[in-house]
Amino acid sequence: MNRRILAFIILLLLPLAGFSQISIRIFARSKPASVIFTPESGVFLLRDGAAATGVRLSQGDVVVITSFEDRVIYRTRSGIFGAADSIAFTPASDGALFRLRAPGNAEPEKVLNGKLTVRPFPGSLQVLNFTTVEESLPGVVRAEAGKLGPSDYFRAQAVVARTYFYRNMERHSLDGYNFCDDIHCQVYPGVVTDSVIVNACRSTAGKVLTDRDSLLIEAAFHGNCGGETASSADVWLAGYPYLVSVKDPWCSYSASFTWRRGIPRADWDSFLVSKGITPGNEGALYKSQPGEGRIASRSAQGRSVTSEEIRLRFGLRSAYFSLAPAGDSIIVNGRGYGHGVGLCQDGAKHMAEKKQGYETIIGFYYPGTIITDIKNARRPARP
Ligand SMILES: [Zn+2]
Ligand SMILES: [Zn+2]
């Protein structure tokens, strides 16, 4: 191979391999003005921005941190206190864990590993946890995939969540960190110890999903596809060759597979008017029958309405449904739960119960993709 091309390729691959360190903003949704730090196990060093030496903290110590104007104030149970531009808690022993909570906060407390920094943020605190992809993965997998299921279901979810991490490293680069702990990125409840999930993450360590050009994929997933996954082009207007519709025979056992809703005629009529359709003359919208497959859009009077628009307007469980007028309601017979794109969680779980390995599960829901080590993967220029 030409030497310059080789150098170029190495340059492209290097940054990802070195990216396993990540920063996650904790309590990103509630943005508390005060947090309480307690070592759970091991020893931590508390350092404020100005001090040359740190304060040793171990089990039983409590540090209360509060924002005050553009400073943070901290106070330990033993009476040490100070004010600083920022403070940091660094682990001083292997495997050290700490507990973090925000008084009066609706978000539950978290057990975390790695380093923590706290800075003032307008009206609140910016709390950042410095950890690694692999150490935070079990928590993310449990939050996104649930607690119960067979190993290969969690292995598939681990590869999907890891792929998301590496593909979206720059999601919060303007804010000065990598990810938030909320649904905007991936929900991070902290360190978890569920052994099936921890083992699923370990046994797939470093494995991610790429397309044939070694680019990390958009690894979308949802609760239940209703028997047929949706193409991303229909839902998000962005098409990917691996996010195409596949017929799914695996998820019909689930309670989410079918659902039914009635929409009051008056609400439906005002929706039609907002779409430029005159009520009373919209019969063309009702042609499809349940089981005929997904319909991306319907039209009447020369105006078209997408299933996604109807789903959002009426808060439906999915965009896979048929519509039928009945007296003063519109009956919606639906299938599945969620946007329907990519991996179907109910189907993946059932595949794993039937002894299909995680590679087979991934190949089924993301056709044409490759499971590979992160060192062989590249991040798309603009995900
Ligand atoms: Zn985010
Ligand atoms: Zn499905």
Side-chain angles (χ1 to χ4, degrees), residues 133-323:
V133 168
E134 295 301 335
E135 284 170 302
S136 55
L137 204 62
V140 167
V141 168
R142 198 182 78 179
E144 304 280 349
K147 285 183 191 180
L148 300 172
S151 297
D152 276 289
Y153 166 63
F154 289 117
R155 286 193 186 105
Q157 289 275 355
V159 174
V160 163
R162 188 182 292 109
T163 303
Y164 181 95
F165 266 139
Y166 283 105
R167 183 178 159 100
N168 293 283
M169 281 288 174
E170 291 183 351
R171 197 159 163 82
H172 282 284
S173 58
L174 292 176
D175 304 317
Y177 49 91
N178 298 116
F179 302 101
C180 67
D181 64 349
D182 202 10
I183 47 172
H184 171 261
C185 292
Q186 300 191 102
V187 172
Y188 182 51
V191 174
V192 301
T193 52
D194 312 53
S195 60
V196 176
I197 296 177
V198 170
N199 289 337
C201 293
R202 278 190 194 147
S203 65
T204 61
K207 290 204 166 81
V208 291
L209 275 172
T210 70
D211 66 12
R212 293 199 168 117
D213 296 322
S214 303
L215 293 171
L216 291 162
I217 73 158
E218 177 69 46
F221 62 91
H222 59 277
N224 186 299
C225 74
E228 182 184 339
T229 69
S231 120
S232 67
D234 287 340
V235 180
W236 300 319
L237 309 176
Y240 299 95
Y242 49 83
L243 294 181
V244 289
S245 178
V246 298
K247 292 261 191 294
D248 182 358
W250 298 98
C251 57
S252 60
Y253 72 93
S254 164
S256 305
F257 188 67
T258 55
W259 51 268
R260 192 179 161 92
R261 261 279 297 276
I263 298 173
R265 183 81 222 196
D267 294 353
W268 180 246
D269 285 353
S270 63
F271 172 70
L272 293 181
V273 169
S274 76
K275 292 288 153 194
I277 296 169
T278 309
N281 204 4
E282 79 285 10
L285 295 181
Y286 309 132
K287 275 185 179 157
S288 69
Q289 293 299 315
E292 276 182 13
R294 285 184 176 269
I295 295 167
S297 74
R298 296 166 168 81
S299 59
Q301 301 165 24
R303 305 282 183 145
S304 77
V305 186
T306 67
S307 299
E308 194 63 20
E309 285 172 319
I310 298 172
R311 176 201 176 198
L312 291 173
R313 170 65 178 76
F314 296 101
L316 303 178
R317 292 171 67 85
S318 75
Y320 184 4
F321 51 76
S322 66
L323 301 166

Side-chain angles (χ1 to χ4, degrees), residues 37-49:
F37 177 103
T38 43
E40 174 82 359
S41 62
V43 177
F44 285 85
L45 223 49
L46 158 63
R47 224 182 270 269
D48 79 31

